């Protein structure tokens, strides 16, 4: 392990231990080592194949039945992403975040990932800002259901609570972040005095704004990412390594310090 990474791991562990309320802000990079490609970053799908259609949500609203038919027929702009999502399992980085929660040093995860891998790894305090691919959601009242428990006897399906149209829980391009998830993020950020930025390029709002708020309130930022991001310049501890390698070592150090 290079000396600067060993030093950063020590610094990260000490900073986390010395903070009152640590929140992790997680992006697609955490799941890269589970074989799920990211959109951005050097190996990202958009970097390789170009940007996607940003009118997704408009199209859904124009014709929800057609959107559902396409979804059921499994048409996708990124088949390699869907295939990877279907087979992925959590990696050491997911388990390290779970361990940090068990140790009482990580209070909450705000994740931009939709892959359900935090839950499979056993993390509990999670806000999914872009939804969860294994769930459905009513666009009117935001009720959510596991996909395999929802009766699909009409397209589009309707909410049993309010009659609103039901869509996949995953937030589409052009779709607002569900209010309840956004409020939870705002509340978590307000309490946070140390934000752990894991595998996120932090350019997508509103998530990109949370670290800046922590910083403005005098908190600290730790970045775990093999690549530089627009936030790097504001970060207090930079761990320039893949999350699946770096995070377990941070947990080791945290446990060592408390032994
Ligand atoms: P992003 O903007 O957060 O960028 C990914 C970041 O991960 C980059 O900065 C890259 O340098 C970093 N990275 C790559 N490998 C890493 C590793 N091993 N460890 C740590 N960091 C690593 O995310 P995006 O790819 O632009 O995706 C945009 C949105 O699309 C996401 O916010 C999410 O909603 C959705 N998405 C989700 C998944 C998923 O659920 N796994 C995957 C792709 C995209
Ligand atoms: Zn409803």
């Amino acid at each position: 392990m290079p000396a600067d990474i060993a030093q950063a791991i020590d610094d990260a562990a000490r900073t986390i231990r010395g903070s009152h309320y640590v929140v992790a802000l997680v992006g697609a990079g955490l799941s890269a080592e589970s074989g799920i490609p990211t959109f951005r970053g050097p190996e990202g799908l958009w970097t390789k194949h170009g940007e996607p259609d940003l009118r997704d949500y408009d199209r859904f609203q124009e014709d929800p039945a057609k959107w559902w038919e396409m979804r059921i027929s499994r048409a996708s702009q990124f088949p390699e992403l869907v295939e990877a999502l279907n087979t992925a399992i959590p990696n050491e980085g997911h388990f390290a975040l779970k361990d940090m929660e068990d140790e009482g040093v990580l209070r909450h995860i705000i994740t931009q990932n939709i892959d359900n891998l935090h839950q499979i790894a056993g993390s509990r305090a999670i806000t999914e800002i872009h939804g969860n691919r294994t769930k459905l959601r009513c666009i009117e009242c935001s009720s959510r259901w596991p996909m395999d428990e929802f009766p699909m006897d009409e397209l589009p399906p309707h909410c049993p609570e309010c009659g609103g149209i039901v869509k996949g829980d995953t937030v589409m391009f052009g779709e607002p972040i569900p209010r309840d998830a956004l409020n939870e993020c705002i509340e978590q950020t307000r309490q946070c005095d140390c934000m752990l930025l894991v595998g996120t390029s932090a350019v997508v709002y509103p998530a990109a704004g949370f670290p800046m708020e922590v910083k403005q309130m005098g908190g600290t930022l730790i970045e775990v990412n093999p690549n530089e991001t627009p936030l790097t310049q504001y970060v207090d501890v930079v761990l320039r390594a893949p999350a699946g390698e770096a995070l377990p070592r941070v947990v080791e150090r945290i446990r060592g310090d408390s032994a």
Side-chain angles (χ1 to χ4, degrees):
M1 187 170 43
D4 51 343
I5 298 212
Q7 181 63 52
I9 285 167
D10 279 359
D11 293 347
R14 198 175 337 101
T15 305
I16 289 169
R17 268 244 159 266
S19 301
H20 293 290
Y21 201 97
V22 181
V23 173
L25 177 66
V26 174
L30 176 64
S31 294
E33 289 157 271
S34 292
I36 303 174
T38 61
F39 286 146
R40 298 183 181 79
E43 293 299 313
L45 289 172
W46 295 346
T47 316
K48 288 198 274 184
H49 304 304
E51 299 253 330
D53 180 358
L54 297 176
R55 286 197 57 244
D56 244 12
Y57 192 56
D58 287 350
R59 282 189 220 287
F60 170 78
Q61 287 185 307
E62 278 158 26
D63 194 343
K66 186 168 166 211
W67 180 87
W68 269 106
E69 279 155 20
M70 283 186 53
R71 182 177 165 136
I72 286 165
S73 73
R74 301 200 171 277
S76 163
Q77 200 186 356
F78 296 113
E80 62 192 286
L81 177 59
V82 175
E83 175 59 24
L85 283 163
N86 285 339
T87 51
I89 55 171
N91 64 60
E92 293 305 315
H94 294 99
F95 290 116
L97 291 181
K98 191 254 181 201
D99 290 343
M100 283 187 200
E101 188 179 14
D102 289 348
E103 293 291 328
V105 293
L106 177 66
R107 308 298 282 269
H108 204 87
I109 294 173
I110 298 174
T111 189
Q112 301 163 85
N113 296 346
I114 53 144
D115 53 29
N116 202 41
L117 295 184
H118 293 293
Q119 285 86 345
I120 298 174
S123 289
R124 297 171 298 277
I126 308 163
T127 300
E128 294 168 305
I129 193 164
H130 294 163
N132 183 311
R133 68 185 299 268
T134 70
K135 292 186 179 159
L136 299 178
R137 168 169 46 89
C138 169
I139 61 172
E140 298 298 334
C141 72
S142 291
S143 292
R144 291 182 176 81
W145 308 268
M147 206 175 284
D148 48 11
E149 289 172 19
F150 196 91
M152 277 296 189
D153 34 26
E154 54 165 349
L155 293 184
H158 285 86
C159 173
E161 313 291 331
C162 79
I165 292 175
V166 171
K167 68 180 283 292
D169 185 39
T170 306
V171 174
M172 295 170 168
F173 296 109
E175 179 182 357
I177 307 286
R179 195 69 231 177
D180 52 350
L182 191 56
N183 286 344
E184 183 64 39
C185 293
I186 291 167
E187 178 54 26
Q188 291 297 329
T189 300
R190 202 183 55 74
Q191 297 188 62
C192 172
D193 65 344
C194 171
M195 195 166 262
L196 186 57
L197 313 169
V198 184
T200 178
S201 54
V203 290
V204 184
Y205 276 83
F210 304 144
M212 293 315 295
E213 250 179 85
V214 171
K215 198 72 196 162
Q216 275 158 15
M217 291 184 306
T220 51
L221 301 177
I222 302 171
E223 177 170 77
V224 183
N225 195 316
N227 304 299
E228 196 172 319
T229 75
L231 277 178
T232 301
Q233 56 184 312
Y234 306 106
V235 162
D236 301 278
V237 180
V238 180
L239 252 168
R240 219 20 103 237
E245 292 172 25
L247 288 176
R249 313 198 76 122
V250 174
V251 172
E252 258 171 47
R253 290 294 300 154
I254 288 171
R255 285 182 171 151
D257 288 350
S258 65

